[in-house]
Amino acid sequence: LIEPRYDEAYPFVEEMSLVKLDDKYGFINPRGQEIIEIKYNDANFFSESLAVVNLDEDFGYIDKNGITIIDFDYGKASDFSE
């Protein structure tokens, strides 16, 4: 079981769960370990191995290691597809 320390936690998608803590978002693995830092203003589930996240009012895409794959250059973004 994962110790309840998050304000919100969502179902696991692609072996990762989106979590919210103090109005910031990040991701944990099924063992409850934080694998992507809880620092984003907004985030969505992984889709095709990328997640859209918001940092400093701009959106970009990160991979499952938290590495920026598509730069934070967008005012709006949706789930990654193709």
Side-chain angles (χ1 to χ4, degrees):
L1 293 174
I2 298 171
E3 183 179 329
R5 70 169 226 163
Y6 302 104
D7 299 327
E8 295 178 23
Y10 298 90
F12 283 91
V13 175
E14 296 190 24
E15 297 295 314
M16 304 178 90
S17 174
L18 176 63
V19 294
K20 181 179 180 183
L21 180 65
D22 298 327
D23 290 327
K24 298 290 181 182
Y25 293 87
F27 294 86
I28 61 172
N29 66 17
R31 293 182 298 209
Q33 298 166 316
E34 185 179 307
I35 50 177
I36 296 178
E37 184 179 358
I38 300 171
K39 67 177 184 179
Y40 298 102
N41 299 327
D42 197 5
N44 208 348
F45 301 104
F46 277 84
S47 172
E48 297 185 28
S49 297
L50 295 179
V52 60
V53 293
N54 177 280
L55 187 63
D56 299 326
E57 304 304 318
D58 291 319
F59 289 89
Y61 294 84
I62 60 171
D63 69 9
K64 291 183 177 183
N65 296 310
I67 296 169
T68 300
I69 301 300
I70 300 175
D71 288 329
F72 292 84
D73 291 332
Y74 303 95
K76 269 172 70 170
S78 58
D79 289 343
F80 186 79
S81 178
E82 299 178 32

